[in-house]
Amino acid sequence: RATNVTLHQYIIRRRVDKARDLLMETQMPIAEIAHECGFADQVILLVFLGELLEQALHPSGEELNDR
């Protein structure tokens, strides 16, 4: 945990990064990309992509309602 990231978080982040690259660089369907990256289905992939987007938009963890 020297990087303040758990092993699970690291693995998920790597999978999401790979999925993002495939989404941008290929015409593969999202369901196929999810499977290729180790997600059970596209819904789970989209949940993690949404979380990553939320973290990018609000890096300090602030909520939208706190503004």
Side-chain angles (χ1 to χ4, degrees):
R1 290 194 89 177
T3 60
N4 293 327
V5 175
T6 67
L7 178 59
H8 181 259
Q9 290 170 326
Y10 174 79
I11 291 169
I12 294 298
R13 178 60 188 255
R14 297 290 297 181
R15 289 178 178 176
V16 169
D17 288 346
K18 180 179 177 182
R20 183 195 61 220
D21 292 344
L22 289 172
L23 284 166
M24 294 177 64
E25 298 170 2
T26 72
Q27 297 295 318
M28 290 171 60
I30 294 175
E32 188 176 333
I33 290 173
H35 178 74
E36 177 77 20
C37 296
F39 293 100
D41 58 41
Q42 67 191 37
V43 173
I44 301 299
L45 170 58
L46 292 175
V47 167
F48 283 113
L49 281 170
E51 288 178 4
L52 187 64
L53 178 60
E54 182 69 26
Q55 290 171 5
L57 293 174
H58 307 287
S60 66
E62 67 190 29
E63 296 292 328
L64 291 174
N65 295 335
D66 292 344
R67 291 181 182 196

